[in-house]
Amino acid sequence: MTTFMLSDTTAGKIAGQLTLLRHQMGAPAIGMVLTLVVICEERDQYDALRAATEAAREHPSRILVVINRETDEPTRLDAELRIGESTPGEVVVLRLYGELTDHADSVVSPLLLPDTPVVAWWPGKAPDVPAKDPIGMLAQRRITDARMAPDGGVKALATRAKGYAPGDTDLAWARLTPWRSLLAAAFDQPIGKVRKGQVEAASGNPSAPLLAAWLSERLGATVKVSDSAGPGLTTVRLTTPEGDLSVARADARLATLSRPGQPDRNVALARRQTPELLAEELRRLDPDETYETAIKRLARSYKP
Amino acid sequence: MTDPQAPAEGAQAVDSTVGSAVDAATPGKGNGPAGATAAASAATSVAGTSTTIEAAAANPLRDPRDKRLPRVAGPCVMVLFGVTGDLAKRKLLPAIYDLGNRGLLPPGFSLVGFARRDWKNQDFAQLTHDAVKEHARTPFREEVWKQIREGIHFVPGEFSDDGAFDALAMALKEIDETRGTGGNYAFYLSVPPKFFPVVVEQLKRTGLADAPPGSWRRVVIEKPFGHDLKSAHELNEITTSAFPESSIFRIDHYLGKETVQNIMALRFANNLYEPIWNRSFVDHVQITMAEDIGIGGRAGYYDGIGAARDVIQNHLLQLLALVAMEDPTSFEAQSLRREKEKVFKAVRLPADLAANTARGQYAAGWQGGQKVVGYLEEDGIPPDSVTETYAAVKLEIANRRWAGVPFYLRTGKRLGRRVTEVAVVFQRAPHLPFSKDDTEILGQNALVIRVQPDEGITVRFGSKVPGTAMEVRDVSMDFAYGESFMESSPEAYERLLLDVMIGDPPLFPHQREVELSWKILDPIEEFWATQGQPEPYPSGSWGPPSADAMMARDGRVWRRL
């Protein structure tokens, strides 16, 4: 891996250096499919970048990490360029100082790959209305993570629902895909009308009310959320006239599916790590309308 | 193992599994009374457990806009005949694990192995475990393995042994009760075609081939689908005597490859290529499948079959159909198959088969730095064998789009390297405003679809060489799957096994396609049968001189691969 540091620099110099490094490596213009802009704080940088690089193995990208540093220092832009075997695309870590911290978009926009999608990801704290954020405005897809919100994930989701714009999505929603897929598969066989339902999860887990919102939206029944010891989501129970359909998972890996009139069955349902979630987000870049309906329903029933 | 013991043993093995599965299931059960009667009620609710299209359409949790939810197969059992074979170990078992790892296997999915081995369930589980560890594409995860392991069963026996199949039928019934698989069975015949009749007959006799209302029975067969039109027809008679055509899935694993499906995306999702995809711009098309290996351990199968029947009849003609067909009205099986059939019906053989086909047999030589023996010296091959290991044919397609554009198909073993590709070679520019010297080394434009290895697409075109002179030379523009979509390409068998379980047939050739492609190949085979010994070519070369001469007569050359 080649690392190249540029201090007190400009976007133009960074772009020039990237081209130069690529030529030196003998691999000009490889098939990068998107630009991923990661907006995070210094302390999240390592984990976020690791997840992004891992996800980029499936979707070769130019990864731009934007870190806002001290606002009262003199205005300066420092950049760290990484190209090499461990990263299929290119990584640029941008550190912004002083007044520049308010104008990150002016650095990011000239570094976007032309004519390919742009995805913005806030692994930690995120704006209330991502689509109105200067960098969010450059992106087709804006990924937040409610679980990392400082004052409660459920509140963060309810706030985002108000400012929802097509292209918004949240990793709390991506965490639900295996659960939703398993539940949907269970409904592929005819089953009676669901009267009510219950979702159990570790306290404060934003995915739980989101799953409940989706289920009640689709099934037209009340789905309640209650706390359990965790980890993560532990149980979904749906009551039908024939009996309960339930998916229960205690160890975060293997779940048991029970349906009336059928034997219990074990199904692998492992909790997924951030790189996998991110890779799933990058797979489809069109607006997720199902997420929109779920999050808006959640906001309607949210009581602070 | 004596015959009378086999069914008893099988039944015992099944009994013990049932016991343990119920034991394992009971503690986890939320509602007690239902758990106690689970086995009994499962049997009665068989009719209600199948995944029908109507049920899936009525599913309140599914929504076409919800694109995150994958297609998951409904509850079913896959019965694998020939579990000890190479294909099962290297491809099928790992593919099943990979599907499980991607969350695409239904809850309760069960895998039943059937083979002539004195094995218990755990022996088959061990074989599966080893195969998965060695060959699976995705990382090994304990919980996924646990899910699959719970559904693994083994039934020992010979294909001719009625008792063994009775034990199989009994085992499947038990699995329906303990695993809730709802009487949905897919029978994968990974066995040589000579065993098809007996296996199909047994499935018929035991009633396993007949689906009760609300569930399905499917049979999966691998190539070869016969060795000529007549035998393909006979084989089909046997299979259709037990299964309806809609339940027969013929696997041509090439059609499961992402690059092959991408031919359709390339042609029908873009506006860039279709206008030039015809006789006005295309000079000719070359479809190649080259292998660097010899026949390996396949002597018994290969001798008497040869390269053309082994590869051209299925893989290469399917590639030809996808490249040449008109756009289907939809990607449903019926529309897609109709367009492919139209191409097969329009294929015309050259009048002079001697001048427009070539065949060869590899002789001893050096292949990639290793000294290798010739075909006739391989173990199990008679020294006077006239089987070809290289075949090349020129075909034309008599329709408005392709009239006069030759399609050259070639395949061979022990060639220079392993490569499969489709090259669409375009006509030369009608006028070159350069001096003759400037464009001396300029070739024809070409669009190459690389099927394997290094899947991707290459476009070759002329470009100016930097410098003061106007010299034009070929350069290539490359799209590599591995670069743009890394590590996301599933194996062909994953896709195909999932399609079998879902019951989605577009990627499986219909019997009509099989018979039409034999109609194309049969006259060539009949002509070759009168020609005696194929022309030898040294191992590691690119085929016999007659193949090059065949192209030279048309003023063309094979692409150097």
Side-chain angles (χ1 to χ4, degrees):
Chain A
M1 180 147 93
T2 313
T3 309
F4 201 88
M5 308 289 279
L6 290 167
S7 65
D8 205 358
T9 185
T10 61
K13 284 186 196 153
I14 297 170
Q17 194 62 40
L18 276 175
T19 316
L20 191 71
L21 287 176
R22 260 198 270 118
H23 277 290
Q24 277 176 358
M25 308 246 330
I30 68 154
M32 284 183 285
V33 292
L34 53 89
T35 311
L36 176 64
V37 188
V38 186
I39 307 100
C40 65
E41 289 177 40
E42 191 69 72
R43 61 162 190 261
D44 298 333
Q45 182 252 118
Y46 179 79
D47 287 334
L49 191 52
R50 228 178 70 118
T53 324
E54 193 91 344
R57 299 204 68 77
E58 195 178 312
H59 310 272
S61 330
R62 175 177 283 181
I63 302 170
L64 305 176
V65 184
V66 180
I67 303 168
N68 278 337
R69 300 292 302 235
E70 307 305 320
T71 42
D72 42 7
E73 271 194 41
T75 298
R76 192 171 95 228
L77 170 66
D78 285 358
E80 191 182 329
L81 281 53
R82 300 183 197 164
I83 302 182
E85 297 91 55
S86 66
T87 42
E90 304 160 333
V91 175
V92 183
V93 182
L94 302 161
R95 290 189 175 85
L96 280 54
Y97 295 85
E99 241 183 290
L100 187 58
T101 51
D102 289 333
H103 304 282
D105 54 316
S106 76
V107 181
V108 168
S109 115
L111 290 174
L112 301 175
L113 293 173
D115 219 9
T116 47
V118 178
V119 179
W121 175 38
W122 290 267
K125 198 168 162 291
D128 285 348
V129 185
K132 293 272 167 62
D133 180 86
I135 290 180
M137 269 155 51
L138 296 171
Q140 278 93 329
R141 188 95 173 169
R142 294 162 296 272
I143 307 168
T144 50
D145 191 351
R147 206 173 65 170
M148 297 302 169
D151 43 353
V154 190
K155 183 170 175 243
L157 285 179
T159 319
R160 297 243 165 76
K162 287 197 199 90
Y164 175 87
D168 282 5
T169 170
D170 198 287
L171 292 188
W173 177 243
R175 284 187 190 96
L176 288 174
T177 308
W179 282 85
R180 297 198 304 121
S181 163
L182 178 58
L183 288 164
F187 273 80
D188 276 341
Q189 305 160 48
I191 190 159
K193 174 98 179 81
V194 174
R195 287 182 181 148
K196 57 174 181 159
Q198 181 143 4
V199 175
E200 288 170 22
S203 173
N205 186 325
S207 295
L210 204 51
L211 180 60
W214 174 68
L215 283 170
S216 52
E217 179 76 30
R218 301 298 311 177
L219 298 173
T222 320
V223 181
K224 290 211 169 75
V225 182
S226 58
D227 288 350
S228 73
L233 283 170
T234 50
T235 312
V236 173
R237 185 173 296 114
L238 301 169
T239 309
T240 71
E242 294 105 78
D244 279 4
L245 182 150
S246 77
V247 179
R249 179 184 75 175
D251 61 351
R253 300 180 78 173
L254 197 66
T256 308
L257 169 73
S258 320
R259 290 178 61 116
Q262 276 189 33
D264 287 1
R265 281 159 298 191
N266 287 336
V267 191
L269 194 65
R271 297 189 81 183
R272 297 186 300 166
Q273 305 302 313
T274 317
E276 280 176 85
L277 301 173
L278 196 59
E280 178 185 311
E281 288 297 340
L282 300 183
R283 221 164 281 151
R284 300 206 174 269
L285 296 172
D286 42 351
D288 190 338
E289 292 156 16
T290 317
Y291 168 70
E292 181 186 353
T293 31
I295 194 177
K296 288 192 168 155
R297 188 172 183 108
L298 178 144
R300 278 203 300 278
S301 59
Y302 174 72
K303 291 176 212 73
Chain B
M1 180 171 71
T2 58
D3 273 358
Q5 272 177 340
E9 253 181 31
Q12 263 168 20
V14 168
D15 278 347
S16 64
T17 330
V18 170
S20 60
V22 170
D23 287 349
T26 315
K29 195 80 190 175
N31 35 357
T37 57
S41 55
T44 56
S45 68
V46 155
T49 48
S50 83
T51 310
T52 60
I53 290 163
E54 297 77 44
N59 184 342
L61 295 184
R62 290 216 187 272
D63 178 357
R65 293 176 309 162
D66 193 350
K67 293 172 187 161
R68 286 178 200 251
L69 295 189
R71 304 184 310 162
V72 181
C76 63
V77 185
M78 179 153 287
V79 184
L80 195 53
F81 295 98
V83 290
T84 50
D86 213 33
L87 182 76
K89 278 189 265 190
R90 288 165 47 108
K91 297 288 183 186
L92 302 179
L93 297 172
I96 286 171
Y97 170 83
D98 287 330
L99 283 174
N101 207 350
R102 290 161 66 204
L104 302 179
L105 284 184
F109 170 82
S110 303
L111 177 68
V112 177
F114 187 102
R116 196 182 53 200
R117 294 285 157 97
D118 193 7
W119 276 1
K120 298 271 189 288
N121 291 343
Q122 59 264 33
D123 299 309
F124 178 43
Q126 189 59 42
L127 174 113
T128 310
H129 184 267
D130 295 347
V132 166
K133 279 250 163 145
E134 196 173 346
H135 297 292
R137 183 178 62 88
T138 53
F140 188 83
R141 294 216 294 239
E142 207 51 55
E143 68 274 10
V144 177
W145 170 245
K146 202 170 163 218
Q147 176 190 354
I148 292 173
R149 171 67 188 89
E150 283 175 358
I152 290 186
H153 301 263
F154 186 77
V155 178
E158 306 255 356
F159 295 141
S160 55
D161 178 4
D162 286 359
F165 276 83
D166 291 340
L168 175 67
M170 212 145 65
L172 287 170
K173 220 173 141 202
E174 300 273 13
I175 290 170
D176 278 342
E177 287 168 15
T178 54
R179 307 270 304 158
T181 40
N184 302 318
Y185 312 144
F187 300 99
Y188 199 118
L189 271 54
S190 180
V191 294
K194 65 178 179 207
F195 294 119
F196 284 7
V198 51
V199 175
V200 170
E201 184 50 47
Q202 289 281 18
L203 294 176
K204 205 157 89 175
R205 185 186 63 78
T206 47
L208 287 174
D210 303 318
S215 49
W216 52 258
R217 303 288 155 91
R218 293 176 189 139
V219 64
V220 186
I221 53 179
E222 283 270 350
K223 72 158 200 185
F225 311 121
H227 53 86
D228 56 15
L229 179 60
K230 188 163 160 283
S231 60
H233 197 73
E234 284 165 6
L235 183 68
N236 191 47
E237 293 281 285
I238 293 164
T239 356
T240 44
S241 72
F243 294 91
E245 171 69 29
S246 59
S247 299
I248 303 172
F249 289 75
R250 295 175 190 82
I251 285 206
D252 183 334
H253 70 272
Y254 258 59
L255 296 182
K257 282 183 182 292
E258 290 286 337
T259 17
V260 173
Q261 294 168 46
N262 193 38
I263 294 177
M264 290 187 274
L266 177 86
R267 290 193 54 201
F268 304 127
N270 295 302
N271 205 14
L272 192 56
Y273 307 108
E274 207 50 25
I276 53 169
W277 211 260
N278 56 51
R279 64 188 306 270
S280 310
F281 295 89
V282 176
D283 180 65
H284 69 282
V285 178
Q286 296 185 15
I287 304 178
T288 306
M289 174 172 160
E291 291 175 284
D292 53 2
I293 51 166
I295 52 160
R298 294 170 75 215
Y301 160 71
Y302 199 86
D303 196 55
I305 294 291
R309 289 190 180 105
D310 187 36
V311 173
I312 293 185
Q313 181 268 334
N314 38 63
H315 304 326
L316 296 196
L317 282 176
Q318 285 288 337
L319 285 176
L320 173 133
L322 292 173
V323 170
M325 71 181 184
E326 300 298 317
D327 48 336
T329 49
S330 75
F331 284 109
E332 275 166 22
Q334 213 189 359
S335 327
L336 197 60
R337 286 166 167 174
R338 182 170 302 149
E339 294 307 326
K340 287 201 282 180
E341 282 163 27
K342 273 162 65 184
V343 174
F344 289 136
K345 282 181 187 158
V347 168
R348 295 284 176 275
L349 295 181
D352 182 0
L353 286 176
N356 292 298
T357 66
R359 61 185 196 131
Q361 199 177 55
Y362 63 81
W366 288 83
Q367 204 286 326
Q370 274 183 324
K371 197 167 164 43
V372 292
V373 298
Y375 179 72
L376 298 177
E377 293 108 57
E378 296 271 12
D379 284 343
I381 300 296
D384 57 348
S385 170
V386 293
T387 303
E388 86 278 359
T389 64
Y390 177 98
V393 298
K394 172 184 171 182
L395 301 174
E396 296 213 4
I397 298 175
N399 61 21
R400 202 177 175 94
R401 185 191 282 260
W402 294 116
V405 178
F407 282 70
Y408 299 97
L409 276 52
R410 62 171 162 165
T411 181
K413 290 198 173 289
R414 284 262 187 260
L415 298 183
R417 68 190 186 95
R418 170 174 168 261
V419 57
T420 303
E421 63 158 45
V422 178
V424 180
V425 182
F426 292 92
Q427 295 164 8
R428 283 180 189 280
H431 167 70
L432 290 168
F434 310 99
S435 77
K436 196 168 168 293
D437 304 336
D438 295 343
T439 55
E440 223 166 11
I441 47 173
L442 178 67
Q444 285 163 283
N445 293 161
L447 186 136
V448 183
I449 300 162
R450 303 193 306 270
V451 177
Q452 71 175 18
D454 187 23
E455 293 86 345
I457 294 165
T458 304
V459 178
R460 189 176 70 164
F461 58 98
S463 169
K464 182 183 174 299
V465 180
T468 45
M470 181 44 118
E471 199 185 328
V472 185
R473 170 194 296 180
D474 285 323
V475 294
S476 56
M477 196 158 69
D478 213 38
F479 158 71
Y481 253 88
E483 278 178 11
S484 294
F485 308 101
M486 277 180 139
E487 294 182 7
S488 62
S489 289
E491 270 279 328
Y493 277 100
E494 285 175 62
R495 172 67 196 265
L496 295 174
L497 287 177
L498 182 65
D499 281 0
V500 168
M501 290 188 269
I502 291 177
D504 196 20
L507 296 181
F508 300 86
H510 190 273
Q511 176 64 15
R512 283 195 300 273
E513 290 170 56
V514 173
E515 293 190 6
L516 283 168
S517 49
W518 281 121
K519 274 188 192 159
I520 297 169
L521 199 60
D522 276 358
I524 298 173
E525 290 285 354
E526 278 159 29
F527 169 74
W528 282 349
T530 65
Q531 297 298 300
Q533 196 68 24
E535 190 181 9
Y537 61 95
S539 289
S541 71
W542 281 102
S546 57
D548 296 329
M550 163 186 142
M551 290 297 264
R553 273 191 290 274
D554 290 351
R556 301 188 174 99
V557 287
W558 290 110
R559 268 170 54 81
R560 191 192 57 75
L561 299 174

